[in-house]
Amino acid sequence: MSDLLTRLAEVLPAEAVLTDPDLLDAHRHDEADLCDSGTPAVVVRPRTTGQVSDVLRIASELRVPVVPQGARTGLAGAANAVDGAIVLSTTAMTSILEIDPVNRTAVVQPGVVNAVLAAEVAGAGLRYPPDPGSWQTSTIGGNVATNAGGMCCVKYGVTAEYVLGLEVVLASGEVLRTGRRTAKGVAGYDLTRLFTGSEGTLGVITEVTLALRPPAEEALTLVAVFGSTAAAGEAVAAIAARGLSPSLLELLDRTHLRAIEAYRPMGLRTDARALLLAATDTGTRAAADLELVSDACIAAGAEEVFAATDAAEAAALLEARRLAHAAMERLAAETYPHGIGALIIDDVAVPRARLAELLDGVERIAERHGIPVGTVGHAGDGNMHPNIVVDRTDPAVLARGRAVFDEIMELGLALGGTCTGEHGVGLLKRDWLAREAGPVGMRVQRAIKDALDPAGLLNPGKIL
């Protein structure tokens, strides 16, 4: 331990090496509840690629595990520390190095917050579309490491669609550059995609080259109220079948509607079983496209459909959706007070045509086990987040909650889906990745890990 701290002090300024017990405790885990975490030996906050390289070289020589962290907003335990590790926080690497309006690219360090980048590129007349729910606090490095999604993904795609190139420090301390800055490029294996979504298990991202887009047209928004979540799911399939491309298509069930209204009253329909929030941003066609979305919802059994009257009302509806996680955290705390309430958050994604079956199945599973479950998510791309409410101190309730989680996962895979649409594997879904990928897929993934990190020091225990 003393040797480690001495070596780190030789390559980092004093303020970048943190050993205060309270700070170490604060860096134990991300926002995923009920995932194992350890106490790191030290937290380092480098500012440059060279400093990251020095840290990894020292860790490799001393055989000390390294856990990369961003803002710790993840929901799968991918940033959880292990005992005795170096936590390498990228939150001090906050420079936007370049915004290029001609080539529509930005080059940033990994600690740049998503919302900060979005504002900066908007000032240059451009747009960075990926908008995870944590966009106001999560970092670009963390978004890339988990291949984060968001509400606009139904039309604009996930983070990987915008990552053109990376600078990555490998376990040995060597610096690798991947990708390109050109509009096209197919030279060699796509290493950029390999590191995107790798959750810090293959290297530490120190620079990201991102593609930008022109600003979107003003969106028009509607809300459709349904008597069942399955009917809302049928509406999603109908919207897709009609060839429509909404820029937003989100679902909130009754549990979430009531939790959000209790958290921040805004007049939501808390008697509804499900609500779809949809938007179109197709310029002169937006109003006509929104009308077609409305028709599809009515045909699927919507009890009421109404359009936002202005941009302020549309923004309020979007804000309600963004409050879902905080509202459910409060619901868990109120259901099981005195700090014993917890959420197990699923992240299953299924083909849109099977969404209604998933939603029906989640309700049956929750009812069978007697566990409160609220479902919210990106209905337009079939990615749902059942929130399972449990008492962390009651083994019987925890067991039932974990059974609900596992049965939802099993259902999602049976419907042709995946165990994680956007949160990543982390600690929470390792067993389910093995089931989804199969033995050959897992062997290939382990071979990649062994080739890049033969000592297994980078974010140990995650994904594989």
Side-chain angles (χ1 to χ4, degrees):
M1 172 66 169
S2 60
D3 189 20
L4 171 64
L5 296 180
T6 300
R7 296 284 302 277
L8 291 173
E10 292 171 354
V11 299
L12 295 171
E15 66 272 15
V17 181
L18 311 176
T19 57
D20 179 88
D22 289 338
L23 288 174
L24 297 182
D25 187 65
H27 286 78
R28 285 171 57 97
H29 57 80
D30 61 18
E31 291 192 13
D33 223 334
L34 304 174
C35 287
D36 292 337
S37 63
T39 302
V42 60
V43 175
V44 297
R45 290 178 176 166
R47 291 185 175 274
T48 68
T49 298
Q51 290 176 350
V52 173
S53 176
D54 287 338
V55 170
L56 289 184
R57 177 176 47 79
I58 291 167
S60 179
E61 291 173 4
L62 298 179
R63 291 295 189 265
V64 178
V66 177
V67 178
Q69 288 185 353
R72 305 191 306 281
T73 57
L75 293 169
N80 285 18
V82 297
D83 287 331
I86 299 170
V87 162
L88 195 159
S89 172
T90 60
T91 53
M93 303 179 74
T94 58
S95 295
I96 297 176
L97 302 172
E98 180 184 338
I99 296 174
D100 182 344
V102 175
N103 292 304
R104 295 179 181 171
T105 59
V107 182
V108 305
Q109 287 189 304
V112 173
V113 171
N114 185 298
V116 171
L117 176 64
E120 287 294 319
V121 301
L126 293 166
R127 180 187 183 204
Y128 178 64
D131 62 339
S134 58
W135 76 296
Q136 291 183 318
T137 53
S138 65
T139 61
I140 295 299
N143 294 168
V144 174
T146 58
N147 195 10
M151 285 183 269
C152 77
C153 294
V154 61
K155 181 173 182 178
Y156 293 103
V158 298
T159 299
E161 309 300 324
Y162 299 87
V163 181
L164 295 175
L166 296 170
E167 181 183 77
V168 182
V169 180
L170 302 179
S172 61
E174 296 171 287
V175 179
L176 168 70
R177 282 196 168 272
T178 76
R180 66 193 195 280
R181 288 194 178 197
T182 55
K184 296 165 63 178
V186 294
Y189 296 123
D190 192 345
L191 298 181
T192 302
R193 283 276 187 162
L194 174 64
F195 284 95
T196 301
S198 64
E199 301 181 22
T201 62
L202 303 179
V204 178
I205 295 167
T206 53
E207 187 178 290
V208 187
T209 301
L210 296 165
L212 304 176
R213 299 287 183 262
E217 299 282 351
E218 183 178 359
L220 301 179
T221 304
L222 67 73
V223 170
V225 177
F226 293 87
S228 71
T229 55
E234 294 290 354
V236 170
I239 291 166
R242 297 185 183 200
L244 300 170
S245 296
S247 57
L248 180 81
L249 191 53
E250 298 288 303
L251 181 144
L252 298 118
D253 72 354
R254 177 183 288 176
T255 299
H256 273 85
L257 292 170
R258 290 179 174 177
I260 294 167
E261 188 66 18
Y263 183 78
R264 185 176 298 175
M266 52 181 65
L268 296 175
R269 279 280 304 270
T270 56
D271 60 321
R273 291 296 298 274
L275 179 148
L276 275 184
L277 176 62
T280 56
D281 64 355
T282 46
T284 57
R285 301 197 325 271
D289 285 349
L290 198 69
E291 186 64 30
L292 293 173
V293 171
S294 174
D295 291 345
C297 289
I298 292 169
E303 297 175 351
E304 182 182 8
V305 179
F306 60 90
T309 55
D310 54 31
E313 186 176 5
L317 291 168
L318 183 59
E319 178 64 14
R321 169 61 183 89
R322 290 196 184 279
L323 290 172
H325 181 59
M328 285 300 292
E329 286 185 319
R330 175 178 286 186
L331 175 65
E334 291 175 347
T335 303
Y336 299 109
H338 310 298
I340 63 174
L343 292 176
I344 306 174
I345 301 178
D346 227 320
D347 178 40
V348 64
V350 298
R352 285 184 290 253
R354 312 299 297 273
L355 182 59
E357 295 171 77
L358 174 69
L359 294 168
D360 256 351
V362 170
E363 290 189 350
R364 288 195 304 271
I365 291 166
E367 183 177 352
R368 183 165 62 249
H369 290 279
I371 292 290
V373 178
T375 300
V376 65
H378 315 304
D381 49 26
N383 184 196
M384 304 309 298
H385 304 311
N387 283 229
I388 304 160
V389 182
V390 296
D391 175 352
R392 70 176 71 245
T393 67
D394 186 329
V397 172
L398 271 178
R400 297 206 313 273
R402 294 189 188 281
V404 169
F405 179 88
D406 288 343
E407 289 184 27
I408 292 172
M409 284 289 190
E410 188 170 8
L411 173 62
L413 295 185
L415 293 173
T418 176
C419 66
T420 175
E422 60 182 10
H423 292 169
V425 175
L427 292 169
L428 194 60
K429 307 180 191 79
R430 285 181 304 173
D431 293 343
W432 288 99
L433 172 65
R435 291 185 58 170
E436 179 177 335
V440 176
M442 293 303 291
R443 187 172 73 244
V444 170
Q445 295 195 49
R446 288 193 184 98
I448 293 169
K449 170 70 171 174
D450 290 344
L452 292 171
D453 181 22
L457 297 178
L458 289 178
N459 212 6
K462 312 312 190 308
I463 299 184
L464 302 178

